[in-house]
Amino acid sequence: MFDGPKHPTRVKRCALGAMLIVFMAAFLLHCGHTEETAVFTQAPLPYAEDALTPTISAMTLRFHYGKHHAGYVADANARIRARRLSATTPEQVIAETAGRPEYRALFNSAAQAWNHDFFWKCLKPGGGQPPTGLLADKIDNAFGSYSQFRSAFIQAGTTVFGSGWIWLVADGATLRIVNTANADTPLAHGLTPLFVVDVWEHAYYLDYQNRRDEFVKSIFDHLADWKFAATQLTPAATNKK
Ligand code: MN
C-alpha cells in the first residue's frame, strides 16, 4: 500500500504550498529590486565606528550614522516612492525639490541624506594636516592664510544660530565659508561643496554638551581630510570667473 492516491487533499495542499513558496519568492525578489533602485543608499562608513575617537565617540557615531543619517535616507526614499518623482540621482532630487514648498519634507530628508554622506567623506582618522597644492593656494587667496581660514571656519561654527552645517565651498573661482540652516545644502544654491562640519546638536552633544567650538576645532585639527576636499575642486569650479 502506498499513501499518495489515497490522500488527494494532501496533494492539493502540497500544490498550494508550492504556489505559496513561488509567490513569496517573487515578492521577495520584487522587494530586493525595489531596494536596488532606491535613489538614496547609505554607503558604509569609510572607517570603524571607534576610529574617530576622541573627537567623535563611538556612541555618537553609532547614533549619528545608524539612526539620524539612516532615518533621512529611509524617509527620502519613502517620499520619492510616494511622489513618483522622475529624478534618478540624489542631486536631481535636491535640484527638483529645492525652494518648492510642496516638496519641503522631501527636500529636507534628501538634502540631509546627501549632506551626511558628504560629511563622513570629509573626515578620516589621523586627519587635520593642512591642505597642499591648488586647494592650499585657493585658501591663501581667499582667506590670507590657512591659519586665518581655520579661525574663520571655527568662528562660523561657533556663531551659527540653531541647527545647520558649516561649509567650505567653491563659488566660481573663489572659495567661501558658508553656513546653511537645518537641512539646507550649497547644492541648492549653485555652490560646490568642498568640506563640511555638521553642527546639529546630535553631532556633538553626547561628547561636548554645549561646547560646540571645541567640537569644530577638534574636527579641524584631527579629522579633516583636505585631500578629499581637493578632489571636489572640479574643473568647472576651478575655471569659472
Ligand atoms: Mn547630523
Side-chain angles (χ1 to χ4, degrees):
M1 299 288 270
F2 51 96
D3 286 347
K6 272 192 161 181
H7 300 282
T9 54
R10 193 174 287 173
V11 175
K12 278 185 193 166
R13 274 187 204 147
C14 283
L16 276 173
M19 281 171 68
L20 190 61
I21 287 168
V22 169
F23 276 124
M24 281 176 69
F27 177 72
L28 289 173
L29 278 172
H30 174 73
C31 288
H33 182 69
T34 304
E35 200 59 43
E36 272 173 23
T37 55
V39 173
F40 285 89
T41 54
Q42 193 180 23
L45 279 175
Y47 28 71
E49 217 170 60
D50 61 356
L52 306 184
T53 56
T55 298
I56 299 175
S57 68
M59 182 182 276
T60 290
L61 196 51
R62 187 179 318 135
F63 278 89
H64 199 169
Y65 174 83
K67 301 293 181 189
H68 294 276
H69 184 189
Y72 294 126
V73 169
D75 190 71
N77 284 330
R79 289 180 189 280
I80 288 165
R81 279 195 288 274
R83 291 292 199 134
R84 301 190 182 284
L85 285 194
S86 59
T88 56
T89 68
E91 291 77 11
Q92 285 172 358
V93 173
I94 289 167
E96 274 188 38
T97 57
R100 297 173 68 182
E102 70 274 30
Y103 284 116
R104 184 182 298 274
L106 171 53
F107 172 80
N108 284 342
S109 286
Q112 282 294 81
W114 194 94
N115 290 349
H116 280 91
D117 183 66
F118 192 80
F119 178 47
W120 308 132
K121 292 176 185 162
C122 289
L123 310 178
K124 69 173 179 187
Q129 298 91 352
T132 54
L134 179 62
L135 180 58
D137 293 344
K138 284 181 160 290
I139 284 174
D140 289 347
N141 287 341
F143 304 100
S145 67
Y146 172 74
S147 168
Q148 284 172 288
F149 162 58
R150 178 182 175 279
S151 299
F153 195 94
I154 292 165
Q155 178 69 15
T158 306
T159 52
V160 63
F161 184 81
S163 296
W165 302 80
I166 306 297
W167 306 82
L168 175 67
V169 300
D171 181 2
T174 192
L175 303 189
R176 285 169 53 201
I177 294 168
V178 297
N179 90 280
T180 58
N182 300 315
D184 202 8
T185 179
L187 288 187
H189 303 280
L191 301 168
T192 303
L194 305 180
F195 178 79
V196 72
V197 176
D198 184 344
V199 290
W200 282 58
E201 284 189 348
H202 67 231
Y204 63 87
Y205 212 82
L206 289 174
D207 303 328
Y208 298 83
Q209 295 78 48
N210 60 315
R211 304 185 309 278
R212 182 160 66 184
D213 57 331
E214 286 182 30
F215 167 68
V216 178
K217 254 185 227 169
S218 192
I219 292 226
F220 214 90
D221 294 336
H222 302 294
L223 299 181
D225 185 353
W226 296 114
K227 282 191 177 152
F228 168 76
T231 66
Q232 303 304 297
L233 275 175
T234 62
T238 310
N239 296 332
K240 264 192 274 178
K241 294 289 170 202

